[in-house]
Amino acid sequence: TEIYTLSLHDALPISHEWSPASDSPLIHLKDMANELAVSVLDLVGMKPGEDAGPAIARSVDLARHVEQWGYKRFWLAEHHAISGLACSATSVLIGHVAGATQTIRVGSGGIMLPNHAPLVVAEQFGTLEALYPGRIDLGLGRAPGGDYATMRALRRDSRQTGEEFPELLEELRTYLGPVRPGQVVKAFPGQGSNVPITLLGSSGFSAQLAAMLGLPFAFAAHFAPEYLLAAADLYHSNFRPSSVLAKPYMMVGVQIIAAESDAQARRLFTTPQQRFLRLIRNQPVELLPPVETMEPLWNEWERAAVESKLGAAIVGSEATVEAGLSKLVQNTGASEVIVVTDTYTHEDRLNSYQRVAGIANRVEAAAVA
């Protein structure tokens, strides 16, 4: 069966000295308005028995490479109490990656706003913006990024449902924007920094809110593809121009693995398949070596659950990935794709991201009126 596809109505089918092969020239994305922008979302995946340090070092090395290849952003996720992921202290990692790079935008994909006091988020990102002017992004989500017990440990009220997100967002924007008349509490640093905000979501809630406020919107199709098309339609249909955006700017996060052949890519894809299998089993989600087949590892229910989570994945040769990316843009109106690539070896990950950089040169972004 095919692994890639993008319409939900269709069948879906370290070495830190790594360098491209001599027959693979360094690729730079052209700065063209109609060219598809590509970015990175990193969960800072760990291997079994590994400390966080090597995983973070791989993330820094990846950021340095994708910066050379013309990627627009390098975003880090917020997850808590998940064994195998080292991305819980998101703002700390953003500063570390930004300090190790020169030009690429670095940000959160995203900060789960209900976990934090908006004032603290404004102070953290205002500080990051002061350190790295014009390079910091603040992607915001409303999920807890962990289970119920983790929510309690984060001091989240069990009665929080996410419905309070618009109010928290408005408070945060107050701290990042110019001082308002009568404003008593101010964020220093933060006030007047105008750190760019993008709303993230896996349903229609944030799509509608981003449209209403005239903000960029990023959909998490890398783990929740079933509502992608509906959310994209909600965002585009309800968008209101603002001082931030004159027209919609849709981003789509999607799992992508590009390799020499479809067969090679499908084998590498068994690493993220194993991660999601272990996630639904409530087991650690470290990066595991690829396997020839997943069949001995899951039952029918587990297979269906994993394939549902990874239903938008684009996996294959460069031709296969180019077809998948083109279809994604056509079906969603995406201006930017946030690429999630988790392979067991760092070399395979770099190879995939470099291939996707070249592919993006050949794929046009959606033209939004």
Side-chain angles (χ1 to χ4, degrees):
T1 58
E2 294 291 337
I3 292 176
Y4 87 92
T5 188
L6 298 165
S7 168
L8 300 183
H9 300 303
D10 296 335
L12 294 183
I14 190 170
S15 164
H16 303 299
E17 300 301 323
W18 187 92
S19 60
S22 58
D23 59 347
S24 300
L26 202 63
I27 296 168
H28 295 267
L29 302 183
K30 304 180 188 71
D31 185 17
M32 297 174 60
N34 67 333
E35 189 169 86
L36 180 68
V38 286
S39 298
V40 174
L41 175 62
D42 186 20
L43 278 64
V44 195
M46 302 164 65
K47 296 180 179 180
E50 183 178 59
D51 293 331
I56 294 170
R58 287 194 298 271
S59 294
V60 170
D61 188 65
L62 174 63
R64 287 170 170 161
H65 277 90
V66 298
E67 179 178 64
Q68 295 174 15
W69 299 331
Y71 279 74
K72 185 172 185 176
R73 316 175 203 273
F74 191 94
W75 277 7
L76 294 133
E78 177 185 343
H79 291 287
H80 296 281
I82 299 179
S83 179
L85 303 182
C87 57
S88 56
T90 316
S91 59
V92 177
L93 290 172
I94 290 169
H96 184 57
V97 172
T101 51
Q102 299 295 322
T103 58
I104 194 169
R105 300 190 65 86
V106 188
S108 57
I111 291 293
M112 301 295 107
L113 186 54
N115 291 346
H116 312 278
L119 176 61
V120 173
V121 176
E123 290 170 342
Q124 290 175 345
F125 279 77
T127 301
L128 288 167
E129 175 65 22
L131 290 168
Y132 310 104
R135 294 183 55 208
I136 301 300
D137 287 326
L138 177 50
L140 296 170
R142 65 190 187 105
D147 57 20
Y148 175 78
T150 303
M151 287 176 58
R152 297 294 295 161
L154 288 165
R155 300 300 187 263
R156 280 189 65 166
D157 192 316
S158 61
R159 293 169 294 180
Q160 287 179 299
T161 63
E163 297 299 321
E164 68 282 354
F165 182 76
E167 182 179 336
L168 295 172
L169 174 62
E170 176 62 18
E171 182 181 353
L172 175 58
R173 296 182 81 188
T174 298
Y175 296 138
L176 292 173
V179 175
R180 300 182 182 184
Q183 182 178 338
V184 176
V185 178
K186 304 175 183 66
F188 298 112
Q191 208 72 54
S193 62
N194 297 306
V195 176
I197 289 175
T198 298
L199 298 192
L200 283 61
S202 56
S203 68
F205 184 98
S206 292
Q208 291 178 295
L209 183 60
M212 181 180 70
L213 297 176
L215 293 174
F217 173 61
F219 187 86
H222 58 291
F223 68 84
E226 63 277 1
Y227 205 69
L228 170 60
L229 296 185
D233 183 64
L234 280 171
Y235 177 63
H236 288 292
S237 299
N238 294 285
F239 183 85
R240 302 176 186 175
S242 70
S243 60
V244 176
L245 285 178
K247 58 185 181 181
Y249 194 88
M250 174 89 181
M251 311 178 198
V252 178
V254 62
Q255 298 262 355
I256 300 179
I257 294 180
E260 184 69 26
S261 67
D262 287 350
Q264 182 181 355
R266 283 195 295 266
R267 183 176 183 277
L268 296 176
F269 187 55
T270 61
T271 292
Q273 285 178 318
Q274 289 178 83
R275 166 178 279 175
F276 275 87
L277 176 60
R278 292 171 68 85
L279 182 66
I280 64 177
R281 289 175 174 174
N282 197 30
Q283 297 173 338
V285 295
E286 295 104 338
L287 295 169
L288 298 178
V291 294
E292 294 303 323
T293 176
M294 289 290 295
E295 291 310 314
L297 303 181
W298 54 21
N299 60 37
E300 284 303 311
W301 177 87
E302 290 171 333
R303 174 177 179 168
V306 171
E307 290 182 346
S308 174
K309 290 287 187 183
L310 295 173
I314 308 173
V315 178
S317 65
E318 291 191 21
T320 299
V321 171
E322 183 174 347
L325 275 178
S326 297
K327 195 169 189 179
L328 171 65
V329 171
Q330 293 168 8
N331 290 343
T332 65
S335 299
E336 183 173 339
V337 171
I338 303 172
V339 182
V340 184
T341 302
D342 290 308
T343 58
Y344 181 70
T345 73
H346 190 56
E347 290 77 12
D348 285 331
R349 197 179 192 207
L350 291 174
N351 179 270
S352 181
Y353 273 113
Q354 187 186 16
R355 290 177 184 275
V356 172
I359 292 165
N361 275 318
R362 305 190 291 270
V363 177
E364 289 189 359
V368 180

